Amino acid sequence: MIVLSASRRTDIPAFYMDWFMEGIRAGGFQVENPYNGRVSRVPADPGRVAAIVFWSKNYHAFLEGGYAAELLERGYRLFFHFTVNSPHKVLEPGLPDLDERLHQVRKLTELVPPEAVNWRFDPVCWFRNGRGEVQNNLADFVTIAECMARAGVSTCTTSFLDIYPKVRRRAQLEARLEFMGVEQEKRIRVLGRMNQVLKSLGIRLQVCCEKELWEALGLQEGIRPGACVSHERLEAIYGPLALSHRRDRGQRSAAGCGCHESRDVGSYRRQPCGHGCLYCYGNPVRAEGRCGKGGGP
């Protein structure tokens, strides 16, 4: 049995569900390796797939298109990562307003057990705008957390922005904005405040690929390292699934990634994301203006 990831590489629920359903109906996907270009077949029939893990910042097309009903009728078990950050048109220009996305959270938890929906508030970042003002994207964290709690969502995954060179260049070229590194002590304070809010609402906080930070925190805060694809969590929700429980060697284990094996069916190149998120690691730099790819889910 395998887990399908749809997808770390692009936002399939927002932009490519027709393509995804073609693969589901055909019983498999032809997937290009992003590093060497080799194409392999990934099986997708319900007898081989333990669960499908979706990643998105906007589930409108997924919900309105009736895709969930067909997948559930075919016998697939579904898990949803939903990235909902404080709205900021410079950082995430291609998203609907916050109220619409929070409504989508409630719709998702009507389709599957609430434990099968994970909220990602990711990444937390600081930046200096063209006027020299320092800002961050934490403003609506409490509002979003309260909505997630009302919907029954019980986990929140977060991390701090990794400022890759191309992310830095893109911010300067496209928005005259400078992403700022933040010292560990400040990150610890911010995580502590986030955790206080979440604990009061019954939500557990997890950190994604933040090994040094988590080790510095220790266990006293109750914050745990995250596994975005967790075989244990899937089996806690859906029962025994005959999964391997092997770690995914293709992920950032040295940085603290705890993910188990999955097969990703998306493509950076063939399926560019349309959200245009300024900080996305998969978003290329284009000096002529904002490109159409970005906003990695």
Side-chain angles (χ1 to χ4, degrees), residues 1-3 47-48 50 77 231 235 239-246:
M1 298 288 279
I2 65 170
V3 174
R48 298 282 302 279
R77 305 166 190 87
H231 292 181
E235 291 186 327
L241 299 174
L243 288 166
S244 70
H245 293 250
R246 288 191 294 266

Side-chain angles (χ1 to χ4, degrees), residues 50-52 72 76-80 111-117 231-241:
I52 303 172
L72 292 170
Y76 292 96
R77 305 166 190 87
L78 308 181
F79 186 95
F80 299 100
L111 291 171
V112 296
E115 296 81 8
V117 178
H231 292 181
E232 282 99 346
R233 182 167 181 177
L234 291 172
E235 291 186 327
I237 298 167
Y238 291 115
L241 299 174

Side-chain angles (χ1 to χ4, degrees), residues 103-227:
H103 177 68
Q104 294 172 25
V105 174
R106 294 189 289 274
K107 298 287 283 185
L108 289 175
T109 56
E110 293 170 1
L111 291 171
V112 296
E115 296 81 8
V117 178
N118 180 66
W119 168 36
R120 300 180 65 89
F121 190 87
D122 180 45
V124 177
C125 61
W126 282 261
F127 54 94
R128 183 178 290 107
N129 63 25
R131 297 183 297 276
E133 300 164 337
V134 175
Q135 298 176 288
N136 61 50
N137 64 338
L138 289 160
D140 295 280
F141 178 78
V142 174
T143 297
I144 301 168
E146 291 172 344
C147 178
M148 293 292 174
R150 288 194 295 271
V153 175
S154 59
T155 54
C156 173
T157 301
T158 194
S159 71
F160 293 90
L161 177 64
D162 291 321
I163 310 175
Y164 297 103
K166 69 176 180 179
V167 169
R168 189 182 300 277
R169 292 197 303 274
R170 185 191 313 122
Q172 294 169 345
L173 287 170
E174 298 184 14
R176 293 182 174 83
L177 178 153
E178 178 189 2
F179 284 117
M180 303 171 61
V182 179
E183 65 275 9
Q184 183 164 279
E185 290 76 11
K186 185 171 184 177
R187 297 184 185 201
I188 290 173
R189 290 197 301 273
V190 169
L191 279 181
R193 291 196 293 269
M194 293 171 69
N195 196 39
Q196 285 181 344
V197 171
L198 294 173
K199 287 174 75 173
S200 71
L201 296 169
I203 298 176
R204 299 186 303 276
L205 180 59
Q206 304 174 149
V207 290
C208 180
C209 294
E210 295 281 1
K211 183 178 180 180
E212 291 184 5
L213 185 57
W214 178 72
E215 288 177 345
L217 276 169
L219 299 176
Q220 69 274 13
E221 295 291 339
I223 302 169
R224 295 292 183 267

